[in-house]
Every structure is written in structure tokens, then in C-alpha cells.
Amino acid sequence: MRRLIVLPWKKSIEIAYKSIRARFFRSLITTLTLVLAVSFLAFSQVSIDIADTMLATGDPSLCQMLLRCGYDILPGDTSLAASPKQRWIITLSLLVCVVGIINAQLMSVTERFREIGTMKCLGALDRFIVRIFVMEATMQGFAGASVGAILGTTSAFLAALFRFGPGTIDLLPWPAIFVSTVTALATGIGLSLLGVLYPAIMAARMQPVEAMRVEQ
Amino acid sequence: MSEKLIVRVTGLTKDFDLGKIVVKVLKGIDLEIESGKYISIMGPSGSGKSTLFNMIGGLDKPTQGKVFIDEVDIAQLDAYELAWLRCRKIGYIFQTFNLIPVMTALENVTLPMTFAGTPGEEAVSRGMKLLSQVGLVGRHEHKPAELSGGQQQRVAVARALANNPAIILADEPTGNLDLSTGEEIISLLKQLSQEEGTTVISATHDFKMLNVSDQVIWIRDGRVDKIQERADLEIHTGGMSS
Ligand SMILES: Nc1ncnc2c1ncn2[C@@H]1O[C@H](COP(=O)(O)OP(=O)(O)OP(=O)(O)O)[C@@H](O)[C@H]1O
Ligand SMILES: [Mg+2]
């Protein structure tokens, strides 16, 4: 088709980045929600990974230590998978996080109705608008989730060192820890995207005048 | 010169459904606008100028009737074609400027060029040229909040010109400006319509606009009251200098 309207990826990333920078504190709050949820997720998973390895050594003193730390070990157990209670807490914390993010994104989209209407007057397609918001959410999600994952994993290490002594370093199950950290990271980015999708699509679908009429 | 019709409006009505009551704002408007003219739409506040405007610019949908741009019914356009029309064919200027607050003057001007697929460097050099054309040399790095109202409106004019549109739609472009700044914007628009052959359609309360208009369309209560050609105007205004 000859009548083509474009927005190169590089340009949309640039616009998204500028928007985040221009609204630094708002972005920071959205991101902090994410940091908390992801670090909690990473902490729980990595702690379990470490505890699993301890159990696998079969060392009675380590098992004793695990029991003392509150893990329920039944004879013959080889894995300590999260207890239902723990899973429940993680799920809840993620839910609260999603609601928080949706709230923050809704407000940030509402604040920008006029901007969105203007962009559409200048020829932006609906999907450019969605794309810009998705890019923003991905960047925020990546930043928040990375910090959260690092924070959570590090605290799990420290907690393990503190509980089981310096000898643990040699026993650390690196592959499992890596998987857990990456999973927490991906979950965080996913949540951030989930939070932005609805408000972004809603905003993009408005007629330009409707968007511009909204009082700021 | 060319008597080509660039905008044609037939039987246009617009109702706003407010739930309990339906407000009939436009009650059947027929217009024909020739290419390259400078048109002013005058009328009392609330007569429906902005509403008519949004319909002509494809920013809102009419309740009834049709708007043709270059003899194409814009209601028949798909999302891509409509975006193309807004991007390439029409330049919008608003009373409230509507610049993007997080972008600099230059970025605001180059945004429509980005959508039109103009390569980055070319867009920047054209953007700088447009900014100097509207008298904003050295201000390209400023954000809208760092510019005065008149300067913001100049940026908006430069942005409207970004893709060499055939039509400039200006809704009270001088409404928020002082007398002399308003005059500068008006003469800028007039100059454009003369030099580039751009059709300028401008809604206004501003009688200064009359001097430069080729045609004045008076709207009253959602209908066309009368249409005056420039020749008639000069008799009434005693041939004011333009
Ligand atoms: N979205 C809307 N919902 C309901 N009524 C509306 C809406 N938009 C406009 N109107 C009504 O339509 C009428 C005309 O509005 P419009 O903005 O077109 O007037 P105008 O001629 O541009 O006035 P002004 O010179 O003050 O800008 C007004 O009575 C207004 O209340
Ligand atoms: Mg108006």
C-alpha cells in the first residue's frame, strides 16, 4: 500500500524512554511495586532451591538445621517444594502487585489522554499508541524485575550463609538458582505488560476529539 | 485559477447524545471550499464551529451527512487511510496548542514526519527550517513548558506544516494569544496560503482574520448563515489594509 504510516522501532523506544524519564517519580512508584513482588518471589524460590540441596546432601546436621528453620521434612523427602501457605502468600503478593500496576498505569494513561489524542491527529495509528505504552511497560518491567530478582536472590544467599554457615557456598545449586531468578524476572516483566495492556488499548481506541476533550 | 474543490460537506448534522437529552449542534451544513483559499469560519460561541471543524478534519464522526476531501468520502476510509489523511493531507492547529509536553520543540515538529516515514536527518533539517520560518531560531531544544503561548503556537504551526499538507485546519489559532502575536500568526498563515497554495480553514472570533480571508463563512446556530467573498468584505470593511 502506498499510503503508509510508520513508526520505526527505534523511534518508539526513544519516545517511550523519554516519557519514562519525564515522569520519573511516577515511573519509580510503579517500578517499586514490581521490585517488591519480584524480590519476594525470587527470595522464596531461591531459598527453596538452596534448602533442597542441603537436604540432598543427606547430612543429618544440615537436616536438623532445616527443621529448625521451619521446613517440614518427612522421612524420605527429596524435595522441599513450597508449602501451600508459602505459595498462597506469593500468589497474593503478585495479585496485589498487578492491581497496583494497573492502577498506576491507568492513571498515567488518563493523564496523557490529550497527548494521545494529539498523536492521533498527527497520524498515529492505534497500534503505535499501544506500542509506545507497551515499550514503556517493558522497560519499567525489566528495570523493576531485574532489581527485584537481584535483591531477592542476594537476600536468599545471605540468609543461607547465615543459617548454614560459610560451607554452603560450595554446595550452592547454581543451575536451579539461575532458573528461579530468570523465572522471577520473566514473571515481573509479564505482570508489568499485563498491567498496561488494558489502559493502553482503551486509550488508543478513542476518537482523537474524545481524548483531547478530557480535562487535565 | 484552479477551481478545484478540496473540501465538500453535504447535509452534515451532528447530535451529541447526553443520555437524557440529545443536543443538536450541527443542523445540516453544506459547504464547498476551493483549493488554495483562505477561509474563515465565524460565528458566536457555541454555534458549532469547533464541531464542524472536527468533522472536516476527520477527528470525529458526523451523525448524518458526508465530508469529502479531494472528492473522497472520509467515512469510507479505513484506519490506515484515515491516519494517512491526518498525517499527510491535513495540518491541525488548536486553540490550546496541544504540543506534546515531554518532547522538545524540534521533536514536536518532526513527529508527523516520523509517521510519514521521512528519514531522521532529513526530518531534523526540515524541522529546523520550519522552526526558523516561524521565527523560533535557537529554541528547538526547549520543551513547550519553557515557551510562551505565542511561541508554542508557532511550534504548532511549524508542526502543522511538517508534511506539506494540502489543508491547514486552525481552530481559533489566535484565541489564547495577545493582539500582536495573533496578528503574526495570522500573517504567517496567510503567507503560507499564498506561497504554497495551502488551503487554510480557520475558525475564529477574531475580526483581524477577516482582512486576510478570501471567503468568510458565518455559522449561526448550527447552520450556515451567509457566505461572503472577499470582494463583498472590502466594501463592508472599507478596504482595510491586508
Ligand atoms: N462532546 C460534546 N457533548 C455535548 N455537547 C457538546 C459536545 N461538544 C460540543 N457540544 C456542544 O455543541 C455546541 C457547539 O460547540 P462548539 O465547540 O462547536 O462551539 P464553537 O462554535 O466552537 O464555540 P467557541 O467559539 O466557544 O469555541 C455547544 O453548545 C456545546 O455545548
Ligand atoms: Mg470552538
Side-chain angles (χ1 to χ4, degrees):
Chain A
M1 193 163 68
R2 198 171 51 83
R3 301 188 155 189
L4 214 59
I5 295 290
V6 295
L7 181 63
W9 280 99
K10 192 171 145 250
K11 205 73 195 174
S12 29
I13 293 174
E14 202 183 304
I15 295 176
Y17 174 69
K18 280 197 187 112
S19 286
I20 293 180
R21 251 192 24 193
R23 301 180 177 79
F24 187 71
F25 280 101
R26 155 134 319 151
S27 316
L28 202 65
I29 292 172
T30 317
T31 312
L32 271 180
T33 332
L34 213 64
V35 170
L36 289 178
V38 172
S39 65
F40 184 61
L41 186 65
F43 177 82
S44 325
Q45 288 309 120
V46 172
S47 294
I48 290 168
D49 291 339
I50 295 176
D52 270 352
T53 345
M54 299 298 147
L55 185 69
T57 58
D59 185 336
S61 70
L62 284 178
C63 289
Q64 206 56 48
M65 195 81 78
L66 285 172
L67 278 174
R68 220 184 302 143
C69 292
Y71 289 98
D72 305 317
I73 309 173
L74 299 174
D77 262 357
T78 54
S79 162
L80 283 166
S83 67
K85 197 169 87 189
Q86 216 170 1
R87 239 181 265 153
W88 179 228
I89 292 175
I90 295 176
T91 316
L92 260 186
S93 86
L94 289 182
L95 263 178
V96 171
C97 176
V98 179
V99 173
I101 293 169
I102 291 183
N103 180 36
Q105 297 287 18
L106 255 179
M107 280 174 67
S108 106
V109 174
T110 318
E111 200 179 72
R112 289 160 70 182
F113 272 171
R114 181 179 290 273
E115 192 179 321
I116 293 167
T118 309
M119 286 225 191
K120 290 191 73 172
C121 288
L122 301 180
L125 292 170
D126 293 5
R127 59 188 163 85
F128 294 175
I129 310 279
V130 175
R131 196 202 289 169
I132 289 173
F133 279 100
V134 165
M135 302 298 302
E136 277 184 41
T138 312
M139 287 183 209
Q140 280 179 344
F142 192 77
S146 315
V147 173
I150 292 171
L151 215 68
T153 308
T154 317
S155 353
F157 280 160
L158 293 179
L161 270 180
F162 184 71
R163 282 172 181 166
F164 310 118
T168 20
I169 295 181
D170 303 327
L171 297 172
L172 287 179
W174 293 110
I177 290 175
F178 181 75
V179 170
S180 296
T181 311
V182 170
T183 311
L185 189 73
T187 311
I189 297 173
L191 284 184
S192 179
L193 281 176
L194 199 71
V196 84
L197 232 43
Y198 167 71
I201 291 174
M202 180 190 77
R205 283 209 183 137
M206 286 196 293
Q207 290 283 325
V209 255
E210 286 173 59
M212 289 193 298
R213 194 161 27 227
V214 176
E215 283 302 319
Q216 302 281 308
Chain B
M1 229 184 65
S2 72
E3 299 292 294
K4 209 179 108 215
L5 287 184
I6 189 148
V7 177
R8 191 155 64 88
V9 175
T10 58
L12 190 74
T13 68
K14 178 70 181 178
D15 307 338
F16 286 105
D17 193 347
L18 301 181
K20 286 202 199 91
I21 47 162
V22 175
V23 187
K24 292 192 187 318
V25 177
L26 299 180
K27 299 167 185 167
I29 297 225
D30 298 286
L31 278 181
E32 291 188 341
I33 293 174
E34 284 166 23
S35 175
K37 290 274 172 79
Y38 191 116
I39 313 283
S40 288
I41 300 179
M42 295 280 259
S45 185
S47 53
K49 300 184 295 293
S50 300
T51 312
L52 173 61
F53 234 79
N54 296 334
M55 304 298 145
I56 294 178
L59 304 180
D60 206 354
K61 293 200 167 75
T63 308
Q64 265 176 2
K66 285 187 162 55
V67 176
F68 299 86
I69 307 265
D70 268 344
E71 293 305 325
V72 176
D73 179 0
I74 61 173
Q76 304 296 325
L77 300 179
D78 63 24
Y80 293 90
E81 291 168 322
L82 196 58
W84 188 89
L85 184 87
R86 290 174 186 152
C87 183
R88 306 293 295 263
K89 198 89 189 180
I90 303 179
Y92 304 88
I93 302 174
F94 303 96
Q95 182 175 359
T96 48
F97 319 140
N98 287 8
L99 299 176
I100 309 236
V102 297
M103 294 188 185
T104 65
L106 183 63
E107 287 163 347
N108 265 288
V109 177
T110 51
L111 188 62
M113 295 189 243
T114 305
F115 292 149
T118 313
E121 272 171 42
E122 197 184 320
V124 167
S125 73
R126 177 161 168 77
M128 294 298 272
K129 206 182 106 212
L130 285 168
L131 282 174
S132 72
Q133 206 178 336
V134 297
L136 284 177
V137 179
R139 294 303 196 120
H140 61 278
E141 283 295 341
H142 290 244
K143 295 259 172 74
E146 300 156 6
L147 297 169
S148 76
Q151 288 167 334
Q152 288 185 48
Q153 195 60 299
R154 285 158 194 268
V155 177
V157 173
R159 180 179 69 183
L161 298 175
N163 290 324
N164 276 320
I167 306 167
I168 290 200
L169 278 178
D171 189 3
E172 309 200 27
T174 59
N176 278 331
L177 303 178
D178 68 30
L179 215 68
S180 63
T181 321
E183 269 169 3
E184 281 167 28
I185 297 284
I186 292 170
S187 57
L188 193 65
L189 289 176
K190 178 65 186 175
Q191 188 193 338
L192 278 163
S193 94
Q194 279 173 340
E195 287 173 7
E196 320 261 338
T198 314
T199 311
V200 178
I201 308 175
S202 155
T204 184
H205 294 293
D206 194 341
F207 281 89
K208 293 194 295 300
M209 281 278 193
L210 294 184
N211 297 331
V212 297
S213 309
D214 296 316
Q215 196 176 50
V216 180
I217 298 169
W218 297 83
I219 303 278
R220 179 173 291 277
D221 198 21
R223 291 179 212 277
V224 177
D225 194 24
K226 59 183 173 193
I227 298 182
Q228 289 180 303
E229 296 296 328
R230 180 163 182 77
D232 308 333
L233 279 169
E234 300 214 74
I235 298 164
H236 288 293
T237 57
M240 276 195 197
S241 64
S242 61

